[in-house]
Amino acid sequence: MKTLFAILMMSILLSLTFGQQNNTHFIQKAGVIHFSEKSFTNNNNNHLWKQISSQLQFLKSQKKIPKQKLDSVCYFNGDEEDIQLDRTVVYSYNSNGKISSSKDYRNEGHQLGSQVDFVFDSIGRQVLQKYLIFDYHSDDTLAKSSWKFIYNDSIFHVQLLSSLWQDSINDYVNTSITDFYYSDTSLLYYENYDSLYVKVWNYDSLIWQLESRSYVEYDENSVEEKVEVFTDGFWEKLYKREWTYEDEIARYIFYKYNEEQELVPYSKTIDFYRNENLEDSYSYDWDTISQSWIYSYWDTYKFDFAYTIQDLILPPYQDYYDNSAYKMTEANSKIWSQEIMDWKLIEKEVNYYSGFTPLGIDSKLELSSFQVFPNPAYDFIKIVSENLLQIEAEIYNIQGSIIKRQFLYSGETIPVSDLKPGVYLLKAKSDNETLTTKFVKK
């Protein structure tokens, strides 16, 4: 069986760029629950929630609640007693609110591990996505790749051309091309296709060769995808995925085909929703010995209900936001431990946002190019800016007294281990921009 190079590369690149993926991206709904299914259908709670949402929308219409953009996501590893910052993903946007880059800092947020640059056309369609992977020790570029989006004359057909950089020729070489076909152009997004065909470049015969194909069927409350690979002139079944959504509970099941082309279960996820927000997600693996499902992961999510998904500026492919109606602030991932027969925390994800500050009633909102992380901070805070100018940073205590001033450039850190735990005010300014924000010292 051939290796599904194109599909694997897409999965790897997405995971490098945006961290964990959500298996329910086809179901455009969302929620929260760790309670009984009955609580989902409580009409009194739903009526109360609609009243609260209406009040919030009124405040936002009066410009008393500004929009917010996702600036960074911090990933922490460890358990409840010893959790450490592992990596930080920082997002930058252009003046139109489109993402311009995503940078993944590893080694407790100190070293740049990978970067993704985004390019959009004049009507807001994404046309290019470039990936860079760096060596932690030398900062040399280990690998470069790109996705090029090709919008054909038919709006029901989009192509994705994948390429890898070759140092020997100092240029990109094509590796795969994926054709996406759509029946509903309102879902013109690479995951909402009806069918796709993947072709890989044969360097010996210098032609494109079919590698795999996928078919998706949409129903009112379910989605089914079947994937096949082209081997020795025949289509061979590879796997099937099923999504169902009913009574605010989403179920995802992943099946594989064995050598006899028999369908066998492999993994499943059950997501619980409330008020259109995903709050609890349980993952299971199929145990071939006991022929039963066993726990693997439990993910929980927290939200700020003052902001709906329409009030946020987000990078593309943030999968959990496909399943959320409100601003997500935190996600916790736990693994089932057979030793203690209980759930054990392994990763915490914290999202940091910044709001718009209108200059006037009719003024356009401008995006700050500054990002500050981590927050809360333990040993340092880092300031990242799109411009290359020197930054003057000042830290004030809650009484308004300046306690630290430092001149630095984008990506450099300010040590804060000497500060007492509490809330501080950071003012960062360059020749053409000033940012004032709060941070917490732990």
Side-chain angles (χ1 to χ4, degrees), residues 156-171:
F156 300 98
H157 179 204
V158 177
Q159 288 181 313
L160 175 61
L161 178 64
S162 301
S163 306
L164 288 175
W165 180 264
Q166 293 287 345
D167 289 332
S168 58
I169 62 173
N170 198 36
D171 199 0

Side-chain angles (χ1 to χ4, degrees), residues 265 285-294:
D285 293 325
W286 180 255
D287 183 24
T288 56
I289 298 178
S290 64
Q291 292 290 295
S292 62
W293 294 106
I294 59 175

Side-chain angles (χ1 to χ4, degrees), residues 89-355:
V89 179
V90 180
Y91 302 107
S92 299
Y93 304 81
N94 60 28
S95 58
N96 295 323
K98 293 290 187 180
I99 186 171
S100 58
S101 69
S102 166
K103 297 181 180 180
D104 192 336
Y105 292 88
R106 303 294 179 116
N107 189 19
E108 298 183 353
H110 287 285
Q111 294 176 310
L112 182 60
S114 62
Q115 177 176 332
V116 186
D117 295 316
F118 301 84
V119 179
F120 296 84
D121 63 15
S122 59
I123 61 176
R125 299 180 305 183
Q126 185 178 351
V127 294
L128 189 63
Q129 195 163 318
K130 288 189 175 182
Y131 297 82
L132 300 172
I133 301 177
F134 301 98
D135 188 322
Y136 294 145
H137 304 290
S138 63
D139 291 332
D140 293 335
T141 302
L142 295 179
K144 292 196 293 185
S145 62
S146 73
W147 288 359
K148 184 179 181 181
F149 296 85
I150 304 170
Y151 300 89
N152 296 318
D153 294 336
S154 170
I155 59 176
F156 300 98
H157 179 204
V158 177
Q159 288 181 313
L160 175 61
L161 178 64
S162 301
S163 306
L164 288 175
W165 180 264
Q166 293 287 345
D167 289 332
S168 58
I169 62 173
N170 198 36
D171 199 0
Y172 286 95
V173 295
N174 297 331
T175 56
S176 68
I177 189 167
T178 305
D179 291 277
F180 299 89
Y181 296 93
Y182 303 82
S183 60
D184 184 353
T185 55
S186 66
L187 300 177
L188 202 58
Y189 174 63
Y190 81 93
E191 285 184 329
N192 292 322
Y193 52 83
D194 288 280
S195 63
L196 70 80
Y197 290 81
V198 178
K199 292 176 284 189
V200 295
W201 182 252
N202 188 311
Y203 293 98
D204 296 326
S205 58
L206 300 180
I207 61 172
W208 290 106
Q209 290 184 333
L210 272 174
E211 163 114 338
S212 64
R213 67 183 180 184
S214 172
Y215 296 97
V216 182
E217 296 181 0
Y218 298 87
D219 200 351
E220 182 178 0
N221 294 312
S222 65
V223 178
E224 179 180 283
E225 180 190 32
K226 297 179 180 178
V227 177
E228 301 174 341
V229 292
F230 196 67
T231 306
D232 299 328
F234 297 94
W235 288 105
E236 180 179 329
K237 296 178 180 178
L238 184 62
Y239 64 82
K240 183 176 78 168
R241 301 191 292 179
E242 293 179 348
W243 294 262
T244 59
Y245 185 86
E246 187 176 1
D247 296 329
E248 299 201 84
I249 299 178
R251 291 177 172 86
Y252 162 81
I253 303 180
F254 181 86
Y255 301 91
K256 283 186 176 182
Y257 287 92
N258 58 21
E259 294 181 356
E260 290 75 28
Q261 290 289 276
E262 297 173 333
L263 199 62
V264 294
Y266 185 77
S267 64
K268 75 172 181 179
T269 302
I270 301 179
D271 296 333
F272 295 93
Y273 295 80
R274 183 189 295 163
N275 299 324
E276 298 185 346
N277 277 288
L278 172 63
E279 284 193 3
D280 286 88
S281 178
Y282 293 88
S283 300
Y284 305 81
D285 293 325
W286 180 255
D287 183 24
T288 56
I289 298 178
S290 64
Q291 292 290 295
S292 62
W293 294 106
I294 59 175
Y295 282 127
S296 57
Y297 294 98
W298 173 28
D299 298 321
T300 59
Y301 305 88
K302 296 181 180 180
F303 298 90
D304 178 355
F305 295 106
Y307 296 89
T308 67
I309 190 70
Q310 290 79 18
D311 302 320
L312 305 176
I313 293 179
L314 304 167
Y317 319 136
Q318 287 294 96
D319 289 336
Y320 46 65
Y321 269 112
D322 289 340
N323 306 303
S324 305
Y326 296 89
K327 171 184 170 183
M328 183 177 295
T329 57
E330 184 179 307
N332 293 276
S333 182
K334 298 182 180 182
I335 191 172
W336 181 257
S337 172
Q338 292 291 345
E339 295 182 1
I340 62 176
M341 295 302 293
D342 199 357
W343 294 103
K344 181 179 180 181
L345 181 69
I346 57 171
E347 184 179 75
K348 177 187 288 289
E349 174 185 332
V350 183
N351 296 347
Y352 298 101
Y353 302 79
S354 64

